[in-house]
């Protein structure tokens, strides 16, 4: 494919500026030609900083989608609009990268999945932690069978005091939840992908609103407003898969623990185990002795990219565009992201009812 893909950005806020637009601008096969935001000044600023000459600015995404020259849409809006915008973009003949989580609810995510199948356009979700050096190396280890049958996983997204106080993060209506759907979704996606297991059987979950109502609380981003804190401050899930494998999910923005970590996985298999707690560590047993190896990810010789070193966001953008150009599956398949949304919704449902949620697969 000789010509660059023409890309439109819908939602020019934090995640677009922090990840999508800077990474896309570095890609030779991408041209950012259109920018949409309900705040016109944000779209204008984005166009000036990241757009090609003559890039267009919109405040209504439907008008942007009328441009038949646009090949790809990146959806970078609050969770409650992911489904509507993605479905409309797919039906307008565009490939879509939607920021995580896939959607606020399972029904909305299903509409996205159905639209992708119906239109034949590519859809992926912005789970950029898969593209980290440690994640991709460990994925290779798992695929080689070095851990054997992986029957236990722990998905960690634990902050001690780091509640996001900007945007709509504390708004349950727009986001669908708090740390579980915000950062827990990354940890769960990473763990399921490493285990290559997408068949949940049951989920037992709990959520807590224990610290969010405190005035002048210590917080990495400054004190939150208790009146605005409408979502959980921590959430936990116990997930059993059809083959008996078990996953524990821990997520929090505010939790009285010292040991923290985001988008980290712990795996245990029949032949070995791995964790991301102190770099990437692989453990096992050999010649009747236990061993532990810390992988040096700075030693070069990585097979999953070429040229100068990339960060995870740049690699995500490049591999997504390559999937379109080469007509192959994206690294993050929508069917996989759909299962993540199913499990998250089940944790919230279980927390409300006090009962386990069972899947009919």
């Amino acid at each position: 494919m000789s010509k660059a893909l023409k890309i439109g950005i819908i939602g020019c806020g934090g995640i677009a500026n922090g990840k999508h637009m800077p990474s896309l601008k570095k890609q030779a096969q991408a041209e950012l030609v259109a920018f949409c935001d309900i705040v016109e000044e944000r779209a204008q600023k984005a166009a000036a900083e990241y757009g090609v000459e003559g890039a267009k600015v919109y405040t209504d995404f439907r008008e942007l989608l009328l441009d038949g020259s646009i090949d790809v849409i990146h959806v970078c809006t609050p969770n409650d609009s992911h489904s509507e915008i993605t479905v409309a973009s797919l039906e307008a003949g565009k490939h879509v990268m939607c920021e995580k989580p896939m959607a606020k609810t399972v029904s909305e995510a299903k509409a996205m999945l159905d639209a992708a199948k119906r239109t034949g356009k590519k859809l992926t979700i912005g789970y950029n932690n898969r593209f980290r050096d440690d994640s991709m190396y460990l994925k290779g280890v798992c695929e080689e069978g070095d851990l054997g049958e992986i029957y236990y996983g722990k998905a960690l997204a634990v902050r001690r005091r780091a509640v996001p106080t900007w945007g709509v993060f504390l708004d349950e209506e727009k986001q669908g939840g708090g740390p579980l759907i915000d950062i827990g979704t990354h940890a769960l996606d990473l763990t399921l992908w490493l285990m290559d297991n997408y068949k949940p059987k049951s989920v037992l979950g709990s959520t807590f609103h224990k610290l969010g109502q405190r005035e002048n609380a210590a917080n990495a981003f400054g004190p939150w407003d208790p009146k605005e804190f409408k979502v959980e401050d921590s959430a936990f899930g116990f997930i059993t898969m059809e083959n008996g494998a078990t996953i524990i999910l821990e997520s929090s923005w505010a939790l009285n623990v010292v040991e923290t970590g985001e988008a980290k996985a712990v795996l245990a298999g029949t032949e070995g185990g791995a964790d991301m707690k102190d770099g990437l560590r692989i453990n096992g047993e050999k010649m009747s002795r236990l061993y532990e190896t810390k992988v040096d990810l700075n030693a070069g010789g990585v097979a999953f990219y070429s040229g100068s070193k990339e960060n995870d966001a740049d690699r995500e953008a490049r591999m997504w565009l390559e999937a379109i150009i080469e007509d192959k599956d994206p690294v993050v398949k929508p069917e996989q992201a759909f299962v993540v949304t199913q499990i998250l919704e089940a944790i919230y449902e279980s927390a409300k009812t006090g009962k386990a949620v069972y899947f009919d697969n």
Side-chain angles (χ1 to χ4, degrees), residues 35-323:
F35 301 82
C36 179
D37 197 283
I38 56 174
V39 178
E40 188 173 7
E41 291 74 18
R42 282 202 296 248
Q44 289 172 338
K45 182 176 182 295
E49 189 169 351
Y50 299 105
V52 299
E53 186 176 349
K56 296 178 181 178
V57 170
Y58 301 87
T59 55
D60 187 337
F61 74 87
R62 296 170 190 85
E63 293 181 10
L64 182 152
L65 294 179
L66 294 174
D67 186 342
S69 71
I70 295 174
D71 304 298
V72 184
I73 295 294
H74 279 230
V75 180
C76 307
T77 59
N79 299 347
D80 66 340
S81 60
H82 283 186
S83 182
E84 179 189 7
I85 297 173
T86 295
V87 170
S89 299
L90 291 165
E91 291 181 339
K94 322 297 185 189
H95 303 291
V96 179
M97 154 79 79
C98 179
E99 187 47 47
K100 63 79 196 170
M102 188 170 187
K104 182 178 160 183
T105 66
V106 168
S107 61
E108 291 175 353
K110 181 68 162 53
M112 296 164 70
L113 194 57
D114 290 345
K117 291 177 180 176
R118 185 170 64 249
T119 62
K121 292 298 175 179
K122 296 189 188 302
L123 170 62
T124 194
I125 307 301
Y127 285 117
N128 55 282
N129 286 285
R130 291 196 194 186
F131 298 86
R132 299 185 332 230
D133 287 350
D134 59 344
S135 302
M136 300 201 87
Y137 185 93
L138 181 53
K139 179 64 173 176
V141 168
C142 295
E143 288 180 339
E144 287 292 315
D146 291 0
L147 304 188
E149 177 196 351
I150 304 171
Y151 57 90
Y152 173 74
K154 184 179 281 189
L156 299 169
V158 177
R159 298 177 184 174
R160 184 182 181 186
R161 289 291 191 284
V163 177
T165 54
W166 62 91
V168 296
F169 282 102
L170 303 181
D171 185 334
E172 185 172 17
E173 185 61 33
K174 288 194 174 296
Q175 289 296 92
L180 178 61
I181 203 169
D182 175 40
I183 57 176
T185 191
H186 272 303
L188 179 58
D189 172 75
L190 181 62
T191 305
L192 293 173
W193 179 62
L194 291 168
M195 296 175 72
D196 191 25
N197 193 338
Y198 290 94
K199 295 184 177 180
K201 179 181 179 182
S202 65
V203 168
L204 189 62
S206 56
T207 60
F208 295 97
H209 302 72
K210 297 293 187 182
L211 305 179
Q213 300 310 304
R214 299 195 175 189
E215 299 276 357
N216 300 313
N219 190 46
F221 307 115
W224 57 78
D225 182 351
K227 295 189 295 296
E228 300 293 326
F229 207 131
K230 306 295 185 183
V231 295
E232 81 277 0
D233 44 51
S234 61
F236 309 91
F238 187 89
I239 305 146
T240 302
M241 310 303 282
E242 280 188 2
N243 70 345
T246 297
I247 299 170
I248 293 173
L249 172 58
E250 301 177 7
S251 65
S252 69
W253 283 339
L255 188 68
N256 287 323
V257 293
V258 175
E259 188 174 332
T260 61
E262 278 189 51
K264 294 183 181 295
V266 178
L267 305 175
T270 53
E271 302 304 316
D275 68 71
M276 298 167 159
K277 289 187 175 182
D278 179 23
L280 177 57
R281 302 183 298 189
I282 313 293
N283 71 79
E285 177 184 355
K286 192 170 185 179
M287 297 174 63
S288 302
R289 300 286 185 178
L290 298 176
Y291 71 86
E292 180 182 313
T293 301
K294 190 169 183 179
V295 180
D296 182 358
L297 294 167
N298 297 311
V302 280
F304 45 78
Y305 71 93
S306 58
S308 59
K309 185 167 177 61
E310 298 172 298
N311 62 36
D312 57 328
D314 294 349
R315 190 176 296 144
E316 176 188 39
R318 176 178 61 79
M319 294 180 77
W320 160 234
L321 298 178
E322 286 175 355

